[in-house]
Amino acid sequence: MDVDWSPSSRTDGDRVSWETPAFALQERLSRAVLLAAATPGEESDRWLDEVVDGAWLLCEQSSWCWPAHDDTRTRHGSVLATVTDPYLDLGAGEVVGQLAWLDHVLGDRLDSRYPGVRERLRHEARVRVFDPFVRRRDWHWIGLDGRVHNWNPWIHGNVLVAALRLLDGPDDREERARIVALCIEGLDRYVAVLPEDGAIDEGYAYWWNGACRLLEALDVLAHATGENLDPVPEVAALRGIVAFPHRMHLGDGWYVNVSDGQALPPRTQPWHSLLRAARRAGDAEAAAHALSYRAQGAPAAHEAEGLGRLLRGATDPEWLGGSAPVVTPSAEEGSVFLPSTQMLVARERGGGLTLVIKGGNNAENHDHNDVGSVIVASGAVPVVVDPGRPTYTAQTFSAARYSMWMMQSDWHSAPFIRGSGQSAGRRFAARDVEDSPDALALELADAYDVAALRSWRREARLDRGERRVVIRDAWDLEPWEGEDDEPDTSVRFVLAGAVELAPGRARVTPIEAAPPLILSWDPGVPAATVVKEFDDPMLTEVWGASLARLDLDVRGRAELAVTLTQETP
């Protein structure tokens, strides 16, 4: 493995140079645990040896916290981990969870071949995780301020597994009960803010490491309590989050990707976790959606998802032997409106168009400035798109986040008004939202810090059966009275595919096999395209090397209708 350990690689905010080898170590350890458990006889000892090597390396590692998360600079003035004050983050949670699962699977054999190793695991878990978890209750991810995000169930779920397994000494009963109770209390804060419609404002990509982590933790709790604590069937919000993945599915592996997500995410998700949650919730459609990936050849489990998920996927009989018809929601007629995020997903039968439009606000978790933006897919393939997330660096979650182009409304399919895109913050939001099964109308003026803007009303409608979407904008903007030329006001569409531009018309050939999309508007409106080239793999593996933006210049006007039609043979 080639890793750049030069000084510049350690100071430029690039997380990948540290995370790649660190994650590779844990993935190798997870593979070794599975092989040690599955290989019969003495042949498995070589894998057991590798397990101990990997576990011992983790015990010797200065910190389990991912450096991007550590607060040691703030608390101690240090740029390196402070070993006497461990930071409990996603990384530390993942390591302690991994050690707990390997102890669960191989515990007796570890004692037999390597006496003392299990005691070391328990010591490190206590010093690095259990003690800080109890001692410091100012962890931002606990949600004491009422604001919770995906860290909450991800960390609490791992601490829960570790406490149940590693606090097993004769004097640990009281501490174990206390930590389990704190985990339940923390998870309850996450559940308390979930909307009944099951919408995840962080988007589909973070469902797997937020809502799904919650469902996995609740699955562990149900097992640990003999099924006496099983809220999934009874709580509407929990049933709602089980339905969220198939509601966001465009078809053929493409998903609605608002916030920090990829429209074409990896197929190696822990679908077995969704299947188990769907069984608990009694959601046949969610179960079929999960099993459809098994039918398409998705791996039973993948080590990159963590040892707990790897073991569960590799041992779930229904998942291993299950199959179901491939479920492609875009091939079904239907719509879903999620009022908590003000998102409409309207689908047309038989591979027609899918319209997505969202309201919300510009302070959502993993937020982009995207109030009023639209996504339109032809068949299953997005053509009017949300660019999605970049590779994370120090800038991504800093005060400079919205200087990144893919975070700005300028590069979402939303209006650009008097030289201004949308502003970040909760008060920059949609209002006066009106929904119907096939349309959403909303007021966008509050999303912009433009004094001259009195109103900008947008309506997006799917004309079912016509393979047509119509987006109407009408606005009230004070006349320009400046001495200089009036700044740009334009209606914008971010496009994936080959764009052919003509007066009043743009034809877009999608990046995958799907019918082209025709955008048409008043030919008197000037139009131009701007190409954004990039080399970030998080973007190129979805869209290729570039995206195009169609800018429709509406200065001097008060309304515009754009019709998007699927081209038929």
Side-chain angles (χ1 to χ4, degrees):
M1 181 185 303
D2 293 327
V3 179
D4 179 9
W5 291 112
S6 64
S8 63
S9 76
R10 301 195 299 272
T11 58
D12 64 1
D14 179 7
R15 300 167 53 151
V16 175
S17 60
W18 184 92
E19 291 176 354
T20 297
F23 294 172
L25 165 62
Q26 289 187 254
E27 291 171 20
R28 179 171 175 170
L29 175 56
S30 292
R31 291 193 298 269
V33 171
L34 192 63
L35 287 165
T39 305
E42 295 182 0
E43 186 66 22
S44 70
D45 285 348
R46 64 182 286 251
W47 297 116
L48 192 65
D49 294 345
E50 179 147 338
V51 168
V52 173
D53 283 345
W56 202 260
L57 281 170
L58 289 175
C59 290
E60 292 292 305
Q61 198 168 293
S62 294
S63 174
W64 293 346
C65 172
W66 298 343
H69 299 157
D70 205 337
D71 67 353
T72 186
R73 184 67 178 268
T74 302
R75 287 169 66 88
H76 303 287
S78 174
V79 296
L80 300 176
T82 302
V83 296
T84 55
D85 188 17
Y87 191 84
L88 178 50
D89 76 323
L90 302 176
E94 278 294 282
V95 173
V96 80
Q98 183 176 34
L99 297 181
W101 281 109
L102 75 84
D103 185 90
H104 176 66
V105 173
L106 302 171
D108 292 341
R109 293 176 58 196
L110 288 172
D111 273 339
S112 176
R113 190 167 176 84
Y114 287 97
V117 167
R118 298 179 73 197
E119 286 76 7
R120 176 69 185 277
L121 302 185
R122 282 155 175 76
H123 168 76
E124 298 297 339
R126 182 181 299 280
V127 170
R128 299 170 186 254
V129 174
F130 298 143
D131 288 348
F133 177 66
V134 173
R135 182 178 68 250
R136 280 188 65 176
R137 300 307 293 164
D138 64 341
W139 303 110
H140 68 86
W141 43 266
I142 290 177
L144 293 176
D145 60 356
R147 188 175 185 272
V148 293
H149 47 80
N150 69 301
W151 282 40
N152 177 299
W154 193 345
I155 297 175
H156 279 117
N158 276 315
V159 173
L160 174 68
V161 167
L164 289 172
R165 181 62 195 177
L166 300 178
L167 291 174
D168 57 351
D171 299 324
D172 292 337
R173 179 183 295 271
E174 186 174 325
E175 182 181 11
R176 182 191 199 199
R178 181 184 181 189
I179 289 176
V180 169
L182 286 173
C183 288
I184 294 173
E185 180 183 300
L187 292 169
D188 190 55
R189 290 195 188 95
Y190 187 85
V191 175
V193 301
L194 289 174
E196 285 199 6
D197 59 25
I200 303 298
D201 67 352
E202 293 173 287
Y204 166 80
Y206 274 88
W207 184 91
W208 293 102
N209 282 323
C212 186
R213 297 283 184 179
L214 169 69
L215 293 167
E216 290 169 333
L218 295 178
D219 192 50
V220 169
L221 277 172
H223 174 75
T225 60
E227 306 299 320
N228 287 310
L229 182 57
D230 183 13
V232 174
E234 308 300 328
V235 178
L238 296 177
R239 297 195 304 275
I241 62 174
V242 171
F244 188 73
H246 69 259
R247 287 175 166 175
M248 295 297 105
H249 189 210
L250 298 172
D252 296 339
W254 291 94
Y255 286 82
V256 176
N257 69 313
V258 298
S259 303
D260 276 355
Q262 292 177 292
L264 191 63
R267 301 176 76 87
T268 55
Q269 307 284 11
W271 294 103
H272 52 86
S273 292
L274 175 59
L275 176 61
R276 277 191 302 279
R279 289 196 302 244
R280 287 196 178 276
D283 189 330
E285 191 172 1
H289 184 59
L291 284 170
S292 71
Y293 277 85
R294 187 71 178 139
Q296 295 173 70
H302 197 280
E303 58 267 30
E305 292 298 319
L307 179 55
R309 286 175 163 179
L310 178 64
L311 292 169
R312 289 170 169 183
T315 56
D316 186 323
E318 184 177 353
W319 171 246
L320 294 175
S323 63
V326 176
V327 177
T328 308
S330 61
E332 304 169 354
E333 186 171 4
S335 298
V336 60
F337 177 64
L338 302 174
S340 65
T341 53
Q342 300 174 339
M343 179 186 291
L344 172 73
V345 182
R347 300 182 178 91
E348 194 171 24
R349 184 186 298 277
L353 297 179
T354 299
L355 164 68
V356 182
I357 177 170
K358 74 174 294 290
N361 64 76
N362 286 335
E364 294 160 341
N365 291 308
H366 288 272
D367 178 69
H368 294 194
N369 288 343
D370 60 358
V371 173
S373 64
V374 297
I375 295 171
V376 179
S378 176
V381 183
V383 181
V384 178
V385 307
D386 183 317
R389 58 157 285 193
T391 297
Y392 286 160
T393 66
Q395 182 183 3
T396 314
F397 299 106
S398 73
R401 175 179 176 87
Y402 295 101
S403 65
M404 304 173 73
W405 67 268
M406 71 291 292
M407 308 294 182
Q408 300 169 1
S409 66
D410 307 26
W411 277 92
H412 286 75
S413 298
F416 186 76
I417 304 172
R418 284 273 167 90
S420 295
Q422 296 177 15
S423 299
R426 186 166 299 277
R427 71 183 181 90
F428 298 100
R431 59 177 167 83
D432 301 334
V433 177
E434 299 176 8
D435 69 285
S436 66
D438 298 320
L440 189 71
L442 61 173
E443 174 59 55
L444 304 182
D446 290 353
Y448 296 82
D449 191 10
V450 177
L453 179 62
R454 300 188 186 100
S455 172
W456 193 293
R457 189 75 178 170
R458 164 163 284 193
E459 180 191 58
R461 176 180 298 277
L462 172 66
D463 288 340
R464 195 173 298 281
E466 301 292 330
R467 304 206 170 201
R468 181 177 64 195
V469 166
V470 180
I471 299 172
R472 300 183 185 278
D473 290 291
W475 56 94
D476 183 2
L477 191 61
E478 293 179 5
W480 178 252
E481 296 180 351
E483 295 181 1
D484 299 327
D485 291 340
E486 181 181 352
D488 178 21
T489 295
S490 55
V491 174
R492 296 180 169 184
F493 296 92
V494 180
L495 306 173
V499 181
E500 304 168 46
L501 185 61
R505 184 179 188 274
R507 181 179 185 270
V508 188
T509 303
I511 58 176
E512 286 190 356
L517 191 66
I518 308 297
L519 290 81
S520 57
W521 58 90
D522 181 345
V525 173
T529 55
V530 179
V531 175
K532 173 68 72 174
E533 296 182 348
F534 41 75
D535 58 7
D536 185 328
M538 293 297 292
L539 297 168
T540 58
E541 66 187 22
V542 178
W543 308 119
S546 65
L547 290 170
R549 192 184 71 206
L550 174 66
D551 292 0
L552 304 179
D553 187 342
V554 295
R555 282 174 287 191
R557 293 175 174 263
E559 61 182 10
L560 180 71
V562 178
T563 301
L564 301 90
T565 308
Q566 190 181 57
E567 184 177 272
T568 55

